[in-house]
Amino acid sequence: MNLKFGMSPISWSNDDLPELGGETSLETCLRETRLAGFTGTETGGKFPKDAASLKKVLKEHDLKLVSGWYSGQLLSISAEQEIENIKPQLELFRDLGAAVLVYGETFETVQNVRNAPLCNKPTLPEADFVAYGERLTKVAQYCASEGVPLSFHHHMGTGVETERELDLVMQNTGDAVGLLVDTGHLVFGGGDLLGVVDRYGHRINHVHTKDIRQDIMAGVDRTKDSFLDCVLRGIFTVPGDGMIDYGRFMQALADKNYEGWVIVEAEQDPAKANPYEYACMGYKALQKAALNAGYSIVD
């Protein structure tokens, strides 16, 4: 079984909190990503939005376009409107051969609101997940027809944060809706990481890895602290520097025959945690865990 390792630019520069790494150039992000050993990257706010420019800058650094975040609004609009909204990014990703399109539900999200505590996240009545799942499936089917599968991203501060909310999405969508497992967000949200992999391994089509600093998470007050407050305090770090057992996680993925990209993220203050040093740390930790689980890493 084969894996490919990519790096998210969020480790150098955070789109939700521009003051974190805002001065870091795209050139630095991509050069250090490749230097650390990664062969792919996801997009961020600093990336060109047209195919020719994006292809050129990635080629200069010998990197593949893996994917990138799309801010979905299906809790408030129709599948048909979302399909129209998603077309420009979907076509860009299709033209550059991206593996998946990362879909996050951001209607009334508090993930990017500094003064909104975590407890203010949107909450969807369980019965409403049926209609939501139908709309999401239609969008995913369209993405698949264009050659770029959709990968659904559960995320802190959104309407799909908890394991229960993720279960409801998975149970009410068709197989066209792939699952992006994000280790850091799932553990921060109180979820059972290995349990999710066991239940939905056949639908996992993308993986984000970051670690959790247990002492920081233990001090989070969800009635007062925002998601961005937690990021600034350093709740996230790279694999191998926190509480998540990546040996067990990679073995769980291998047991479900997952093959594809694994992205390393950090979401840290680059002034406190040197992005290149942490990128190297994350790569080495994942490499060890993956090889021990029987994977080969494709360069």
Side-chain angles (χ1 to χ4, degrees):
M1 293 182 295
N2 297 319
L3 292 180
K4 293 173 278 189
F5 284 173
M7 190 79 193
S8 170
I10 202 169
S11 301
W12 280 264
S13 181
N14 193 307
D15 289 344
D16 287 336
L17 205 61
E19 58 265 39
L20 289 187
E23 73 288 350
T24 306
S25 68
L26 178 61
E27 161 73 23
T28 296
C29 296
L30 298 182
R31 176 174 52 82
E32 293 186 351
T33 291
R34 193 67 184 94
L35 191 60
F38 297 96
T39 56
T41 183
E42 296 192 340
T43 56
K46 295 178 179 178
F47 284 68
K49 299 299 190 293
D50 66 282
S53 299
L54 183 54
K55 183 177 182 179
K56 181 177 183 291
V57 73
L58 292 175
K59 185 177 181 180
E60 288 172 352
H61 295 278
D62 191 24
L63 290 168
K64 300 291 186 182
L65 174 64
V66 181
S67 184
W69 174 273
Y70 174 80
S71 294
Q73 293 282 313
L74 271 177
L75 283 177
S76 61
I77 62 176
S78 68
E80 291 72 22
Q81 183 60 60
E82 189 71 291
I83 287 170
E84 288 302 311
N85 293 346
I86 210 170
K87 280 181 179 179
Q89 186 168 336
L90 183 65
E91 290 169 0
L92 175 65
F93 282 15
R94 179 198 62 201
D95 292 347
L96 271 73
V100 297
L101 183 146
V102 173
Y103 187 99
E105 177 55 59
T106 60
F107 179 66
E108 295 186 341
T109 182
V110 299
Q111 72 193 75
N112 55 359
V113 184
R114 182 71 189 277
N115 62 354
L118 284 165
C119 65
N120 282 3
K121 68 174 279 311
T123 300
L124 187 66
E126 292 198 0
D128 290 358
F129 277 91
V130 176
Y132 180 76
E134 291 176 356
R135 296 195 296 275
L136 183 59
T137 300
K138 288 180 181 178
V139 173
Q141 289 171 340
Y142 177 78
C143 291
S145 75
E146 292 293 306
V148 187
L150 182 146
S151 192
F152 186 85
H153 191 337
H154 55 95
H155 197 289
M156 293 296 297
T158 72
V160 187
E161 171 186 290
T162 68
E163 184 177 354
R164 175 59 180 165
E165 290 164 341
L166 178 57
D167 282 339
L168 288 165
V169 169
M170 291 290 98
Q171 291 164 9
N172 288 287
T173 52
D175 285 347
V177 178
L179 172 61
L180 186 160
V181 170
D182 186 299
T183 56
H185 282 282
L186 193 58
V187 172
F188 189 4
D192 175 4
L193 179 58
L194 299 184
V196 167
V197 174
D198 183 58
R199 289 198 300 283
Y200 305 118
H202 64 293
R203 292 179 65 179
I204 296 172
N205 63 353
H206 201 41
V207 177
H208 281 181
T209 62
K210 47 185 167 283
D211 222 326
I212 295 280
R213 291 187 172 97
Q214 192 167 18
D215 58 331
I216 304 296
M217 187 168 71
V220 171
D221 183 341
R222 292 171 185 257
T223 67
K224 297 179 181 178
D225 298 328
S226 69
F227 173 68
L228 294 179
D229 287 336
C230 298
V231 170
L232 287 169
R233 290 177 193 168
I235 192 166
F236 291 132
T237 182
V238 295
D241 190 44
M243 63 181 282
I244 297 175
D245 186 337
Y246 274 93
R248 293 182 67 195
F249 174 68
M250 295 308 296
Q251 187 61 60
L253 287 180
D255 290 345
K256 293 298 180 179
N257 299 310
Y258 175 77
E259 290 190 281
W261 286 96
V262 176
I263 302 297
V264 173
E265 296 183 307
E267 294 191 63
Q268 301 185 91
D269 183 346
K272 298 178 181 178
N274 181 276
Y276 175 66
E277 293 177 6
Y278 276 81
C280 292
M281 185 191 308
Y283 186 97
K284 291 176 182 177
L286 272 188
Q287 180 185 52
K288 179 180 179 181
L291 294 175
N292 286 342
Y295 278 112
S296 297
I297 301 168
V298 178
D299 186 12

